[in-house]
Each structure stands twice: as structure tokens, then as C-alpha cells.
Amino acid sequence: MSNIKIAILGMGNVGTGVYQILQENNEEIYKYLNGDIEVEKILVRTIDKKRKISIPNELLTNNYDDILSDESIKIVVELMGGIHPALDYIKRAIKSGKHVVTANKAVMATYGKELKGLAKENGVFINYEASVGGGIPIINTLMESLAANKIEEIIGIINGTTNYILTQMTNYNMSFEEALKLAQTNGYAEADPTSDIEGEDAAFKISILTSIAYGINIPSKAIEREGITKIHKSDIDYASELGYKIKLLAVSKRCKDNIEIYVYPSLVPNEHPLASISNEFNALFVRGNAVGELLLYGKGAGSLPTGSAVLADILSVARLIKNNIGNDKNKNDKFNDIQIKGIGESQYYIRLQVVDKPGVLGKIAMTFGEYDISLESVMQKGRGEETVPLVFITHDIEKNILDKALDEINAYDFVEKIATILKVENI
Amino acid sequence: MSNIKIAILGMGNVGTGVYQILQENNEEIYKYLNGDIEVEKILVRTIDKKRKISIPNELLTNNYDDILSDESIKIVVELMGGIHPALDYIKRAIKSGKHVVTANKAVMATYGKELKGLAKENGVFINYEASVGGGIPIINTLMESLAANKIEEIIGIINGTTNYILTQMTNYNMSFEEALKLAQTNGYAEADPTSDIEGEDAAFKISILTSIAYGINIPSKAIEREGITKIHKSDIDYASELGYKIKLLAVSKRCKDNIEIYVYPSLVPNEHPLASISNEFNALFVRGNAVGELLLYGKGAGSLPTGSAVLADILSVARLIKNNIGNDKNKNDKFNDIQIKGIGESQYYIRLQVVDKPGVLGKIAMTFGEYDISLESVMQKGRGEETVPLVFITHDIEKNILDKALDEINAYDFVEKIATILKVENI
């Protein structure tokens, strides 16, 4: 058996990319595998639908059992997205002794541990490179290239939608709403952008990377997160004056006794490579105790980049199949029992709107002082308007202490509101 | 057999790093392999030598035959550097049926094709991730993660010494000589820095990457190259005024009928991520027809980062050994028969020193015009001195035509010299 037969579930954006790559790059694929990848069946909802690419009709089915019962199919490639019915389809594929390749972050973040266990029991592999960072080979890098490292830190810009929005706000002085609308027009944000802009998507992805890097299983719901909806374009300007760019960061750090994990809009120093990651691009910054700093940057979404990662998974499993290697049931993939916590001590950027009168800054600074919060910089902007912005960058402080101080400050009658709280990530 | 036994050849900088990682990260290694890596023998020149780390005396030998004749040793890890005797040792290891992991760029660039063939004949693997980019997993990324891509372009900052020197010249207004001296003091340049500053080291590395990306074998001597010794600090300033940073780039591009390959000091637009790669860091920018743009950035040298890459190779081979997989003798690794060429049409940065008198610019511009060389920008600097710099950026032009025009320009009596010619890499 020289060729490997696969089935694809879903012919949307990524499915189309995978199919296209299989056609266009078949020479490269053959060279890697010394054989071909043959698409034997494609599961779609509607068979008679006009598609972007032409697919022979006999490949299409809307009955998953056609795929499960076909013993020639060795790999099921799940590209439907969402939990249902993808989760069920993946489980049934595994139980039928088929290897699985998936791009499904929601499934892997939520049921990854269970599925990996099930796959091992059944002697098959489940690969999911495309679930994080699109075409960026972050999972393979963590699992293979950094296998001999203790991972100390992962800091990612892993949501293209929010990075696109923040870039537009930064470069073209747009408001959040304007930038979101542009992102939707250009296909970088969905009609319902909630999961992206509220940081849920990034939480899924950092949960997956954390499970690989530290061997712990963290439901994405347990991850402290904050989206980008409260960021005002003035915050971007103030950050810029202070030498920072604002990025939505997904962070997972190994501390002494626990793992610090969160998704939070943060100020990144201009000199750091993460600050220069623009638009829909993604980047992963990894620190390992041997390799030191490593950064991977590329397209975090899109039909062909994501398809490239799916194909890498398919090829890697296909080569194992050709070598008669199954997943090792006896291998001890024990998950670690490390506690997680949210944000630890950190610097913060705070923008208040206050009435412009003498003594206000003094009163606020004193209140910070009472909570032992020392300040790295203070910036007062505007004059004579009803309220003016007052921007602080604190030194390291626990968030709950900061919150108490801010509650007290918020109660002053000259404080209109605590407008923005951002993290400062001094990497 | 649960553990895999290896021998290390050479206990210098990288060897020490590998040994240290094996000690410190043995938990991670065990987790990957479900077994240990045991160092059975270490080949050194002098056995009784004070070393940075303590190594049990019984591991050390100065007789390579001790290693070759020990059948328990499955992998020979060559970390001596240089062609001789490393090449011979690698060949003998392969012929004895031992797998090889090497960090040797000179050997792989010059004898890679031969060694890969020999390894296949003998059913063993030869892995060489650490030969390019230190800890950056560029080879694994090209071979595995981008396996389903047609690689279109590789642009690398792959020599840490020159990048360190250029960064010092840029950030601290140093001359080349001052920066080189600092690099030597800080251990980023060798006593004889020729191979680095003349681009030979980068040529080795781009030759290796080209052989992986395009399946062609290019002796590094055939690669057009230019070092950084002619760059004056004023060039860095003018480039900066024009919106560029100067970097020594190693480039390999797939053109219609051939591969364009060269190492050349080049202007990189400030907005491009490669422009922000500073000091001793390396970066590789890859464009694939599916993945799009991908950039990998990290430490291109150093004991532990390079050791991390060596360990990744060891682990990957060790896992294959445990699965009883040898190199497939029947696999057709045919090398492509593509022609290579040097730099194709390109923009150039040119600095002339000319006498400051009326009509000079006109005469030079007209000469460019006669050769159909159009100019993107012209910058005249200084006044009243004996000679003043005149800086041009051309539009795309073949180098041989540019050279002819410059020969003619150089003959004018008001031209003191053609001071600098740099490439402009408009990525």
C-alpha cells in the first residue's frame, strides 16, 4: 500500500484549502511520503452546492457512516469547527481505528485530554497543529523541536481578528467600532465577533499550548481573560507616547509552584519583536531553558496557511502509517497536577477621566500610595475640558490590591470613571 | 531496550551544552522518549583537561575506534566542527551502521549530498538541525511542517556575528572596526573573523537550506557573496533616513527557471520583521505557496540553544530507533537539476564620494540614464568639504549593467570613489 486514503469532514474555508494544496502541491507531497494522499470521501451538509473549487461528485457524501465503514480510509480530517457534531465524529473515527487530524480549537481545548486518551487506547493518533496559529508550526515546535526543553513561558498574539483591529486603531487612528467594522468587511471578523474580541478564541488556544508545554489540562473557561472592547483610541496614543504598542496577549508562564495563565490586552515595549506583529498575523514567543527565546510568526488563519498545517499533520501521520507505527498504548502521558492562577504581580496601565482642578492628581497619587502602589509614570493630558484623562503606569502590583485602590479612587467626586485598565508586559 | 546510547565527538561549547541539557532536562527527555539517552562515550583530544562541567572519566576517550567498535552506541553526535577529521568520522560512523547527528555546517554544506546518500545506503539517518540557525528549528520546519508547500523564498539573517556588528554600528554609531572589536571581546566573533564577516558562514548555511527547500545541491563556493567589511557608519545613517536597516541577508529564491541565491549586505525596510532582528539573534523568513509568510527568530548560536537543536535531532532519531525504523534505502531522494544564478534584477543603494561643485549630480544622473537605470531617490549630504557623499537608490536593474554604469561614473575626475554598493531587499 503506497498511497494513504483520507476523508475530509467539512468543505468550508479550510477544507477547500486542504483540497487545493493536495492538488497543487502533489509533487512535494509525493516526495515526502513516497506515495500519494488520496481523498476518498468528503462529508458535506449539502451535496449539490456550488463550490469555489470543482470536486468530483462521487467523493461527496452527507452520511458519516459511509466514511466510518470504509476500511480503506486511514485518516479522518475534521474541518467542520464547533463542538457539535465535530466532537462526536472525532470520537467515532477514533473508535473505528482511524487516525484523526483536526483544526478544531474548541474541541481540543475542551476535550483534548479525553480525546488524546481515547486515541491512545485505540492505538491511533490525533494531530491538531492547525488548531493554534494557523500555518505557524507552534505545536510541532513545542512537541518535537523543543522536546528537550523545560518551557518557561509562552506569550502569543494568537487571535488575528483582534490584532487586525488593534493595528487599524494604531495605524489609522480608528475607533474600536470603526476598526471592527473594517475587519468584518475584509473578512477578518465574523458577523458575531464575540468569541474573538472577548478573548475566548485566544483562551482556547493558550489552553491547548499549555497542555502541550506543561502537561496540564486547563478548561478554557478557567482562564482569566479580558477582551479588547474597552480600549479607546486615546489609550493607543498614550501607550505609544510611553513607548508601547497595545496587543491582546495570551500568556502561559511556569512559576515556582504554579502556572500563570491569562488572556489580557497589554502594553508591549516597542523594541520587542511582538510589538511589530501587525494586522491579521499571529506570533508565538516561547522561552525554553535551553533554547532561550524563540519567536514564530506567520498567518494565523486563512484557507491555505491553515491548510498547510493540516497537511503537515496528515503527512506526519501518513508516514507513521506507512511504517506500521501506531500510537503507543503503553506510553505514560501523565498529566501534571500543577495549580494554575491568573495574572500574578504585574505592572498596569490605567486611564482615569477626572475633573481638571488643582489637587486631583495629588489625592489620587496619595491613594495609590496608601495601597503601596508605586508609579512608574504619570501623564496628564488636555486642559479646560469638563474631564481630562489621567494616565498612570504602576510598578508591579497584585491585581486585587490595584482593584481596591481603584474602587476608592472611583468614589472621589472628581473622578468621572476608571476608563481603561491594561496590563504592561515588560518582556 | 528502553534507553538509547550515544557517543559525543567533541566537548567544546556545543558539546558541553548537550551534556548539560541531558543532565538538567532528563525528565522532559524521558517523557518524550519513554526512555533515557545515555552518553556512553565522549571523544576528546585531551582526556586530562579541566572542563567547565564535571564528566565521569570513564566516558572520555581519545580513540575513535572505541566508539566505532561499541555496538551498543546507536547514535554518533559530531560536534567538533570543521571539515577534518569530522567528515571522516561521520563517514565511518555511518558505515558502522550508526546514526549521525551533527551541527557541522561546513561538512553539511560541502558534503551533504554525499553523506545523505551514504546514510541511506547504510539504512541510517543523518540529522543536522543545529547546523543552521542554532536553536531555531528551521530544518525541521522546512522538512516537516512545510512538507506540503512549494518553497518560494528563504531570506535569512543567519550569521550572528555580522548581525551583532551591524546592530552595534546602528545603535551606538560605531565604526565597523570598533563593532568588530566589541564582538570579539563579548565572544560573538572569533579571533579570525574572516569566515563570518566575509559571508562564508552564511553561504554554508543558505546552501544547506537550499538543498532542503529545492532539492538542489549547491557548493557554497558557487554562491555569490559579499561581506560587511565595506559598510561605513554613514551608510547606516543614510539607510536609516531612507527608512531602512542594513542587514547581511542570505537569500535563496525560486525563480521561473532557476534559483537565485546569494549572501549580500542589504537594505531591509524598517516595517519588515527582519529589520527588527538585533544583535546576535538570527531569523529566517520563509515564503511557501500554501503557508504564505513565516518567520522564525531565535538564538543562532550558543552552547544551550545549539544544544537544544542537537537534542531535538537525537530524540527524533532515538524514537525512530525505538520503533525499529531505519532510513529507507528505496526512497527516491532525487536531487533536482535546477540551474542557480546570483543576484537577479534588484534595487541598489550606492554611495559615491564626489567633489562638491555644480553639475556633478546632473552628469552622474545622466550617465545612469544612458544605461536605462532609473533612480528612486537621491540624497546629497554635506557641503564645502573636499568630497561629499552622494547617495542613490536605483530601481530594479541587473548588476552587470549597474557595474558598467558605475565604471563610467568612476572615471569622472570629480568622482573620488564608489564607496558602497548595497542591495535593497524590498520584501
Side-chain angles (χ1 to χ4, degrees), chain A residues 84-114:
Chain A
H84 301 293
L87 173 64
D88 176 55
Y89 285 9
I90 291 174
K91 285 187 187 169
R92 288 164 67 197
I94 292 173
K95 286 180 188 158
S96 310
K98 299 185 192 305
H99 304 277
V100 170
V101 169
T102 174
N104 197 317
K105 57 192 173 248
V107 161
M108 288 312 295
T110 320
Y111 300 95
K113 186 179 174 182
E114 179 186 346

Side-chain angles (χ1 to χ4, degrees), chain B residues 219-363:
Chain B
S220 60
K221 284 189 179 149
I223 295 173
E224 182 174 351
R225 67 178 159 92
E226 167 85 27
I228 63 163
T229 56
K230 292 178 197 155
I231 299 172
H232 191 262
K233 58 186 176 181
S234 68
D235 293 317
I236 292 191
D237 295 337
Y238 302 145
S240 166
E241 274 188 56
L242 293 160
Y244 295 93
K245 287 224 169 55
I246 299 180
K247 296 287 174 192
L248 182 65
L249 297 184
V251 176
S252 181
K253 280 184 204 174
R254 188 196 287 254
C255 303
K256 203 161 163 262
D257 309 309
N258 48 29
I259 305 284
E260 203 175 296
I261 181 169
Y262 53 86
V263 174
Y264 215 87
S266 305
L267 275 64
V268 177
N270 278 337
E271 313 77 57
H272 195 275
L274 282 176
S276 67
I277 309 305
S278 298
N279 289 316
E280 76 278 19
F281 281 92
N282 282 15
L284 287 131
F285 177 82
V286 180
R287 194 191 307 273
N289 73 334
V291 78
E293 299 175 9
L294 196 65
L295 183 120
L296 310 185
Y297 153 96
K299 290 195 175 155
S303 171
L304 293 175
T306 310
S308 166
V310 171
L311 253 306
D313 275 351
I314 294 173
L315 288 178
S316 141
V317 174
R319 189 182 264 175
L320 292 166
I321 295 171
K322 291 190 76 163
N323 281 309
N324 289 315
I325 297 178
N327 201 343
D328 183 354
K329 290 177 210 191
N330 302 315
K331 200 184 158 200
N332 179 14
D333 271 341
K334 87 166 182 350
F335 276 79
N336 290 323
D337 196 19
I338 315 173
Q339 295 300 309
I340 66 156
K341 62 169 185 172
I343 299 175
E345 281 208 338
S346 169
Q347 291 191 266
Y348 287 90
Y349 161 103
I350 297 142
R351 177 167 61 86
L352 311 176
Q353 288 294 131
V354 300
V355 177
D356 185 18
K357 65 179 188 185
V360 165
L361 176 59
K363 201 79 209 271

Side-chain angles (χ1 to χ4, degrees), chain B residues 9-310:
Chain B
L9 315 187
M11 210 14 85
N13 194 27
V14 179
T16 306
V18 168
Y19 196 83
Q20 270 184 306
I21 297 171
L22 280 167
Q23 311 283 308
E24 282 172 33
N25 295 353
N26 64 324
E27 215 177 292
E28 282 70 24
I29 289 164
Y30 189 90
K31 200 171 162 190
Y32 178 92
L33 200 61
N34 221 13
D36 285 319
I37 298 289
E38 286 178 36
V39 179
E40 188 69 10
K41 287 265 181 318
I42 299 175
L43 182 71
V44 291
R45 220 170 310 171
T46 320
I47 293 196
D48 302 317
K49 188 179 151 182
K50 203 166 158 51
R51 297 174 201 284
K52 275 189 221 159
I53 51 172
S54 104
I55 296 174
N57 226 45
E58 67 269 25
L59 296 187
L60 300 175
T61 174
N62 52 17
N63 180 359
Y64 188 43
D65 288 329
D66 286 354
I67 290 169
L68 288 179
S69 62
D70 184 337
E71 293 207 349
S72 76
I73 293 171
K74 300 299 175 196
I75 308 175
V76 168
V77 182
E78 185 277 306
L79 304 171
M80 302 185 290
I83 301 276
H84 302 293
L87 174 64
D88 177 54
Y89 285 9
I90 291 174
K91 284 188 188 171
R92 286 164 67 197
I94 292 173
K95 286 180 188 159
S96 310
K98 298 185 192 306
H99 304 276
V100 170
V101 169
T102 174
N104 197 317
K105 58 193 172 245
V107 161
M108 289 312 295
T110 319
Y111 301 95
K113 185 179 175 183
E114 180 187 345
L115 292 175
K116 286 183 219 171
L118 190 67
K120 215 165 64 166
E121 266 173 48
N122 287 275
V124 297
F125 295 98
I126 177 163
N127 283 14
Y128 48 99
E129 178 66 81
S131 66
V132 183
I136 303 172
I138 180 61
I139 291 181
N140 191 50
T141 296
L142 286 173
M143 283 188 171
E144 300 295 327
S145 300
L146 302 185
N149 280 260
K150 284 188 173 65
I151 304 299
E152 296 170 341
E153 185 170 39
I154 301 174
I155 304 181
I157 295 175
I158 44 181
N159 179 271
T161 307
T162 48
N163 203 46
Y164 182 85
I165 291 172
L166 291 170
T167 304
Q168 299 304 311
M169 290 173 72
T170 305
N171 294 356
Y172 306 105
N173 197 29
M174 286 186 195
S175 69
F176 170 75
E177 290 73 19
E178 290 165 338
L180 171 59
K181 211 168 160 194
L182 185 70
Q184 285 170 324
T185 308
N186 291 341
Y188 295 127
E190 296 182 44
D192 175 2
T194 316
S195 175
D196 290 317
I197 63 178
E198 295 295 358
E200 186 198 38
D201 175 87
F204 282 148
K205 292 166 179 169
I206 197 71
S207 160
I208 292 172
L209 297 181
T210 300
S211 108
I212 297 167
Y214 309 120
I216 60 169
N217 181 47
I218 302 172
S220 60
K221 284 189 179 149
I223 295 173
E224 182 174 351
R225 67 178 159 92
E226 167 85 27
I228 63 163
T229 56
K230 292 178 197 155
I231 299 172
H232 191 262
K233 58 186 176 181
S234 68
D235 293 317
I236 292 191
D237 295 337
Y238 302 145
S240 166
E241 274 188 56
L242 293 160
Y244 295 93
K245 287 224 169 55
I246 299 180
K247 296 287 174 192
L248 182 65
L249 297 184
V251 176
S252 181
K253 280 184 204 174
R254 188 196 287 254
C255 303
K256 203 161 163 262
D257 309 309
N258 48 29
I259 305 284
E260 203 175 296
I261 181 169
Y262 53 86
V263 174
Y264 215 87
S266 305
L267 275 64
V268 177
N270 278 337
E271 313 77 57
H272 195 275
L274 282 176
S276 67
I277 309 305
S278 298
N279 289 316
E280 76 278 19
F281 281 92
N282 282 15
L284 287 131
F285 177 82
V286 180
R287 194 191 307 273
N289 73 334
V291 78
E293 299 175 9
L294 196 65
L295 183 120
L296 310 185
Y297 153 96
K299 290 195 175 155
S303 171
L304 293 175
T306 310
S308 166
V310 171

Side-chain angles (χ1 to χ4, degrees), chain A residues 26-328:
Chain A
N26 65 323
E27 215 178 292
E28 281 70 23
I29 290 164
Y30 189 90
K31 201 172 162 190
Y32 178 92
L33 198 62
N34 221 12
D36 284 320
I37 299 289
E38 285 178 38
V39 179
E40 187 71 9
K41 286 266 181 319
I42 299 174
L43 182 71
V44 291
R45 218 170 309 171
T46 319
I47 293 195
D48 304 317
K49 190 179 149 183
K50 202 166 159 49
R51 298 174 201 283
K52 275 189 223 159
I53 50 171
S54 106
I55 295 174
N57 226 47
E58 66 270 23
L59 296 187
L60 301 176
T61 174
N62 52 18
N63 180 1
Y64 188 41
D65 289 328
D66 286 353
I67 290 169
L68 289 179
S69 62
D70 184 339
E71 294 207 349
S72 76
I73 294 172
K74 300 298 173 196
I75 309 174
V76 168
V77 183
E78 185 277 306
L79 304 171
M80 301 185 293
I83 302 275
H84 301 293
L87 173 64
D88 176 55
Y89 285 9
I90 291 174
K91 285 187 187 169
R92 288 164 67 197
I94 292 173
K95 286 180 188 158
S96 310
K98 299 185 192 305
H99 304 277
V100 170
V101 169
T102 174
N104 197 317
K105 57 192 173 248
V107 161
M108 288 312 295
T110 320
Y111 300 95
K113 186 179 174 182
E114 179 186 346
L115 292 175
K116 286 183 220 172
L118 190 65
K120 215 165 63 164
E121 266 173 49
N122 287 274
V124 297
F125 295 98
I126 177 162
N127 283 16
Y128 47 100
E129 177 67 80
S131 66
V132 183
I136 302 172
I138 180 61
I139 292 182
N140 191 51
T141 295
L142 286 173
M143 285 189 170
E144 301 293 329
S145 301
L146 302 184
N149 280 260
K150 285 191 173 63
I151 304 299
E152 296 170 343
E153 184 170 41
I154 300 173
I155 305 181
I157 296 175
I158 44 180
N159 179 268
T161 307
T162 48
N163 203 45
Y164 182 86
I165 291 172
L166 291 170
T167 304
Q168 299 304 310
M169 290 173 72
T170 305
N171 294 356
Y172 305 106
N173 198 30
M174 287 187 193
S175 69
F176 171 76
E177 291 73 18
E178 289 165 338
L180 170 58
K181 210 169 161 194
L182 186 69
Q184 285 170 323
T185 307
N186 291 342
Y188 296 126
E190 295 182 42
D192 176 1
T194 316
S195 176
D196 290 317
I197 63 179
E198 295 295 358
E200 185 196 40
D201 175 86
F204 282 147
K205 293 168 179 168
I206 197 70
S207 159
I208 292 173
L209 297 181
T210 301
S211 107
I212 297 167
Y214 309 120
I216 61 169
N217 183 46
I218 301 171
S220 59
K221 281 188 183 150
I223 296 173
E224 182 175 352
R225 67 176 159 93
E226 167 84 27
I228 64 163
T229 56
K230 292 177 197 156
I231 298 172
H232 192 262
K233 58 186 174 180
S234 69
D235 293 316
I236 292 189
D237 295 338
Y238 302 146
S240 166
E241 273 187 57
L242 293 159
Y244 294 95
K245 288 226 166 57
I246 299 180
K247 296 286 173 192
L248 182 66
L249 297 185
V251 176
S252 182
K253 280 184 205 174
R254 188 197 287 254
C255 303
K256 204 162 162 261
D257 310 308
N258 49 29
I259 304 285
E260 202 176 296
I261 180 168
Y262 54 84
V263 174
Y264 215 86
S266 306
L267 274 63
V268 178
N270 278 337
E271 312 77 58
H272 195 275
L274 282 176
S276 66
I277 309 303
S278 299
N279 289 315
E280 76 277 19
F281 280 92
N282 282 16
L284 277 310
F285 177 82
V286 180
R287 196 191 306 273
N289 73 334
V291 78
E293 301 176 7
L294 196 66
L295 182 119
L296 281 65
Y297 153 97
K299 290 193 175 158
S303 171
L304 293 176
T306 311
S308 167
V310 171
L311 253 304
D313 276 350
I314 294 173
L315 288 179
S316 142
V317 174
R319 190 183 263 177
L320 292 166
I321 295 172
K322 291 192 75 163
N323 281 311
N324 288 315
I325 297 179
N327 203 342
D328 183 356

